[in-house]
Amino acid sequence: MCQLDIIIPVYNEGENIINVLESLRVAVKTPFRILICYDHDTDNTLEALKHYSPASQLKLTLVKNRGKGVFGAVMTGF
């Protein structure tokens, strides 16, 4: 059971997202789920995530932004 949801709004973060996820996986001790909120299906973050296989099972959910920009992504995540 996840006790914490971490919402990460992204826009072409393909070069950075794996490092962020690995940092969270190592540092966060509470059971958690990560919601990756993106605007467009062409976002390079999604491509990077296709090739990501964490050392341990990580609960990762992709959420398409129903609004616009960071605020819309965070609100969609909620």
Side-chain angles (χ1 to χ4, degrees), residues 6 8 13 15-26 32 34 36 52 58:
I6 300 173
I8 304 177
E13 293 294 335
E15 293 182 23
N16 303 313
I17 194 64
I18 303 305
N19 289 334
V20 170
L21 296 177
E22 282 299 301
S23 294
L24 290 169
R25 186 181 65 78
V26 170
F32 67 97
I34 298 174
I36 302 289
Y52 176 59
L58 189 65

Side-chain angles (χ1 to χ4, degrees), residues 8-11 36-43 45-46 61-66 73 76:
I8 304 177
V10 297
Y11 181 75
I36 302 289
C37 300
Y38 65 97
D39 287 341
H40 305 285
D41 294 329
T42 57
D43 190 314
T45 309
L46 302 177
T61 302
L62 299 177
V63 180
K64 188 161 186 180
N65 187 356
R66 288 182 263 169
T76 299

Side-chain angles (χ1 to χ4, degrees), residues 14 17-18 44-54 60:
I17 194 64
I18 303 305
N44 69 18
T45 309
L46 302 177
E47 187 64 30
L49 291 173
K50 285 182 187 176
H51 305 288
Y52 176 59
S53 55
L60 187 64

